[in-house]
Amino acid sequence: QVQLVESGGGLVQAGGSLRLSCVASGTRYSFNGMGWYRQPPGKQRELVAFAGTGDRLEYADSVKGRFTISRDNAKNTVLLEMNSLKPEDTAVYYCHAKERTSWTTLVDHWGQGTEVFVSS
């Protein structure tokens, strides 16, 4: 059974930095991509950053230039470096992984979430 374990959330002042880490385990297949979503208080979950196959990286417009995603395929880990944090970055951050179980099947997996609170 696939498990995604996140770490690195916490409380930080505006302008500060945090690094989130996610380790995936339990697969006998491969992960087509790994990334991060977040859910701000009272809002829907949204994409933050995603590292797909090859060098494909995607970022939400709101975090471009401030956040950096990196992925280690051999270790099934994904990191999110968050700099110049703003109060509007406050959210529960979720690790996400797409497990490729066949040529035509991708299975979504989610971590339990880690809280990030940015004070003004």
Side-chain angles (χ1 to χ4, degrees):
Q1 184 173 351
V2 173
Q3 286 189 316
L4 305 181
V5 179
E6 303 122 329
S7 61
L11 170 65
V12 65
Q13 288 187 331
S17 299
L18 282 175
R19 185 174 73 170
L20 303 184
S21 175
C22 174
V23 180
S25 62
T27 183
R28 59 188 182 99
Y29 301 103
S30 63
F31 292 109
N32 197 57
M34 297 183 73
W36 294 91
Y37 283 71
R38 67 185 180 187
Q39 187 164 14
K43 297 184 179 180
Q44 292 187 334
R45 193 174 297 190
E46 60 185 16
L47 172 70
V48 177
F50 185 78
T53 55
D55 296 328
R56 184 169 68 93
L57 301 177
E58 297 178 33
Y59 292 95
D61 288 342
S62 60
V63 306
K64 285 181 180 177
R66 300 188 298 122
F67 291 12
T68 302
I69 189 170
S70 60
R71 178 184 169 192
D72 186 329
N73 294 334
K75 297 181 179 179
N76 285 335
T77 60
V78 62
L79 302 177
L80 185 68
E81 299 278 355
M82 305 186 294
N83 298 313
S84 302
L85 282 161
K86 304 175 182 180
E88 50 263 44
D89 294 317
T90 294
V92 178
Y93 284 71
Y94 295 91
C95 181
H96 171 247
K98 283 187 175 292
E99 182 189 21
R100 179 169 290 284
T101 58
S102 74
W103 283 109
T104 58
T105 304
L106 291 171
V107 179
D108 289 311
H109 299 282
W110 296 92
Q112 79 285 357
T114 184
E115 291 188 60
V116 172
F117 185 84
V118 184
S119 62
S120 57

